[in-house]
Amino acid sequence: MGEEIIKAQWENIKDTIHNVFDITDIAYNIWVKPLRFAGCDDHTVRILIPNSKPEGRTQMLDYITKNYKKYFQEVISDMLMDSYRVVFFMEEEASVPKQPMNIPVSSNSPVPENVEYDSNLNSKYYFENFVVGSNNKMAHSVCLRVAEAPGKELNPLFIHGGSGLGKTHLMTAIGHYIIENTDFKVIYVTSEDFLNEVIESIRNNNNTAMSRFREKYRNIDVLLIDDIQFIIGKAQTQVEFFNTFNALIQNGKQIVITSDKHPAHIKDLDERIRSRFLSGMTVDIQPPAYETRVAILRKYAENFDTKVPDNVIDYIAEHIKSNIRELEGAYKQVYALSKMEADNGREIDLDTARNILKDTISMDNPSVVTPSLILRGVSEYYNLDPDDITSKKRNAEIVLPRQVFMYLCREMTDTTLKGVAALLDKKDHSTVLYGYNKISDEIKYNTELKESIEAIKNRISTY
């Protein structure tokens, strides 16, 4: 009797899990929706996991069991008013087609003859292996919405943040999800490669080369362009990008862009492009908190066959704070040593890990924040010459960075007001006090400025 009820209510059971436990649409479509009811006996429900990736069988089984078993047991037990346990198992052959999500099929423009499309997506970056923390929760949520409804209300999407924080990972995850669930054409490109394609088209000095370039980028459904800041100062490239951007947006196509800065702070960016960026959704990623860094390392560790001790993982997470790539690089170093030790019947200990990471993590000689480092960080963030900040110039674009410099000198060093004034060649320190107070007051309500301050601090911490 129980088996017949479960079989008849299987889709309702999955829908209930989706709604009651507040599972995101993307997680539901990937992990829950494809699951099949395979039978029930002796109060044990068997659930089949169709597997389209044979190389990931164990990881998929472990992940679904860990995250969804309790939901199925609760819903089925409540429905039948009796206690049931759930067992997942893998399909022997990956023969089940993918389940498409309920978003419109692309009304693609005709594909030009002889124009080949390669998405260029990195095969490592999916939503499933992105670790969500307080630093990136909003960005992750927004990217999920874009993946589920490309070309709709969050268009264009502009993701900004420091190097190595996961911008490319999220952007690529959007592309993979769209490709797996629609027939949309997706292209990922770095702005540097985009620039080189423009240069190559111009160098060929014929209309055919430029036409092929334009056909390639204007007859797609999703454009993912990484590190947009590198087209700054390249006039022809900005023109081509602007025209491509307009063509895609006007046709309801999705654009996702990443940069190291908020579009309002990208110096020398064409104002027409800046206004287009600001017309969509802008979201930032901050450096991960300690707990998130530990989670990233443990997630990363799942890909390796030799275990690194928890206290070593905690040590890495405690001392590498601003860059996920550096976290992973440190883990690789320790893993290599752990594997050699394991081959010799020994385990790596914390002291050994400290020694191998001594050049990566300097405990005895931590970087001391100085006004010169702050000047470097502020000038790089705002794309200014350091001499401009310390000069007597009063240009509008210099005033704010100069006040930020004053504020950070007081916050991050023990330099006196008179000392900061001397650095700025000012006789009266009252100007420094005014600048410090102005920034202190403004960051209480100006979220954008507060994010800029944090980004500069994070930049300084990497020097």
Side-chain angles (χ1 to χ4, degrees):
M1 184 67 177
E3 181 169 0
E4 294 177 1
I5 294 174
I6 296 172
K7 184 177 181 180
Q9 295 295 319
W10 183 242
E11 294 303 318
N12 288 335
I13 289 170
K14 291 190 290 185
D15 286 342
T16 300
I17 290 171
H18 183 196
N19 297 321
V20 171
F21 297 103
D22 198 25
I23 298 172
T24 65
D25 290 344
I26 192 167
Y28 175 76
N29 283 317
I30 292 173
W31 302 113
V32 178
K33 189 173 182 179
L35 298 177
R36 293 179 173 180
F37 173 61
C40 175
D41 56 66
D42 195 24
H43 285 71
T44 297
V45 178
R46 300 187 305 281
I47 299 177
L48 174 67
I49 304 174
N51 180 22
S52 60
K53 297 179 181 179
E55 70 278 7
R57 294 171 64 85
T58 301
Q59 293 90 334
M60 183 179 290
L61 177 61
D62 290 346
Y63 183 88
I64 292 177
T65 300
K66 177 182 177 181
N67 291 279
Y68 298 105
K69 178 179 179 179
K70 57 184 178 293
Y71 298 154
F72 278 96
Q73 288 183 165
E74 183 173 332
V75 171
I76 292 172
S77 296
D78 285 350
M79 182 179 68
L80 298 178
M81 294 183 290
D82 200 350
S83 180
Y84 280 77
R85 63 187 293 264
V86 166
V87 174
F88 294 101
F89 67 97
M90 299 298 301
E91 187 176 41
E92 287 302 319
E93 297 294 333
S95 59
V96 181
K98 289 181 291 189
Q99 301 268 353
M101 63 181 182
N102 295 322
I103 65 176
V105 176
S106 168
S107 56
N108 297 323
S109 306
V111 180
E113 227 177 287
N114 300 322
V115 175
E116 296 184 4
Y117 288 90
D118 182 353
S119 67
N120 297 321
L121 296 175
N122 190 312
S123 61
K124 297 190 302 181
Y125 298 145
Y126 292 83
F127 283 118
E128 297 84 29
N129 60 3
F130 185 84
V131 178
V132 181
S134 58
N135 63 305
N136 58 28
K137 187 175 182 179
M138 174 62 77
H140 178 261
S141 176
V142 168
C143 288
L144 289 180
R145 289 178 61 189
V146 168
E148 291 165 353
K152 302 303 180 183
E153 73 271 18
L154 301 181
N155 195 24
L157 171 60
F158 192 102
I159 310 169
H160 65 98
S163 175
L165 296 182
K167 302 186 300 296
T168 300
H169 189 145
L170 280 177
M171 168 186 276
T172 305
I174 291 173
H176 279 303
Y177 185 79
I178 292 173
I179 286 174
E180 290 174 357
N181 292 282
T182 72
D183 65 348
F184 285 11
K185 295 184 183 69
V186 178
I187 287 184
Y188 165 89
V189 64
T190 65
S191 63
E192 185 177 8
D193 287 341
F194 189 87
L195 166 65
N196 290 335
E197 289 187 51
V198 172
I199 292 172
E200 186 65 20
S201 299
I202 295 171
R203 189 180 67 82
N204 287 332
N205 197 29
N206 63 68
N207 292 332
T208 302
M210 185 56 74
S211 294
R212 284 175 59 81
F213 168 82
R214 290 169 179 166
E215 287 170 349
K216 174 182 176 180
Y217 285 105
R218 298 184 195 182
N219 289 284
I220 58 176
D221 300 286
V222 181
L223 174 61
L224 311 172
I225 185 160
D226 217 354
D227 291 324
I228 196 66
Q229 68 270 14
F230 292 119
I231 72 168
I232 305 307
K234 316 298 190 300
Q236 184 64 44
T237 303
Q238 289 196 60
V239 169
E240 286 300 329
F241 176 75
F242 177 77
N243 292 332
T244 298
F245 183 101
N246 281 346
L248 292 174
I249 292 292
Q250 288 170 6
N251 289 316
K253 311 303 184 182
Q254 179 70 48
I255 299 177
V256 183
I257 304 151
T258 72
S259 174
D260 62 345
K261 296 182 181 68
H262 189 283
H265 296 153
I266 302 178
K267 188 181 178 184
D268 297 330
L269 179 64
D270 187 302
E271 287 303 320
R272 298 176 302 168
I273 297 177
R274 193 191 314 277
S275 68
R276 297 302 193 276
F277 290 166
L278 294 171
S279 69
M281 180 69 186
T282 302
V283 66
D284 78 312
I285 301 179
Q286 294 293 328
Y290 169 76
E291 293 80 7
T292 306
R293 297 196 298 272
V294 170
I296 289 169
L297 288 170
R298 290 182 177 166
K299 183 74 174 178
Y300 191 65
E302 294 175 4
N303 300 319
F304 296 87
D305 56 1
T306 301
K307 180 177 173 58
V308 171
D310 287 344
N311 62 344
V312 175
I313 286 180
D314 293 344
Y315 172 76
I316 296 172
E318 185 177 350
H319 294 99
I320 297 181
K321 303 177 181 180
S322 60
N323 192 302
I324 294 170
R325 293 195 196 106
E326 291 179 7
L327 277 178
E328 295 178 350
Y331 185 90
K332 282 183 178 179
Q333 293 182 62
V334 171
Y335 165 76
L337 182 60
S338 294
K339 189 167 180 60
M340 287 189 291
E341 292 291 281
D343 291 342
N344 294 321
R346 299 188 299 267
E347 287 189 2
I348 189 174
D349 58 21
L350 183 56
D351 287 338
T352 307
R354 281 178 176 150
N355 185 56
I356 196 174
L357 295 173
K358 63 181 184 296
D359 293 329
T360 304
I361 301 172
S362 179
M363 286 296 296
D364 298 326
N365 299 296
S367 297
V368 177
V369 177
T370 62
S372 61
L373 287 180
I374 294 173
L375 181 61
R376 176 183 168 187
V378 173
S379 60
E380 287 181 357
Y381 182 82
Y382 287 106
N383 284 329
L384 293 172
D385 188 313
D387 291 340
D388 287 338
I389 295 176
T390 58
S391 71
K392 295 183 181 296
K393 294 180 181 178
R394 296 181 177 273
N395 309 43
E397 67 270 18
I398 295 175
V399 172
L400 176 62
R402 183 178 292 145
Q403 290 175 339
V404 168
F405 171 71
M406 296 172 183
Y407 171 81
L408 289 176
C409 280
R410 293 294 293 148
E411 287 290 309
M412 302 182 74
T413 76
D414 58 1
T415 309
T416 63
L417 291 173
K418 289 183 179 180
V420 178
L423 292 170
L424 297 171
D425 197 22
K426 296 182 181 296
K427 296 179 180 179
D428 189 354
H429 67 267
S430 61
T431 304
V432 177
L433 181 59
Y434 171 80
Y436 172 80
N437 289 336
K438 186 175 187 300
I439 298 299
S440 297
D441 292 338
E442 192 167 345
I443 60 175
K444 294 175 183 176
Y445 61 87
N446 187 332
T447 304
E448 187 178 307
L449 177 59
K450 184 177 180 180
E451 290 175 354
S452 296
I453 296 287
E454 290 303 314
I456 294 170
K457 286 182 177 179
N458 293 328
R459 183 186 292 266
I460 293 169
S461 70
T462 65
Y463 296 153

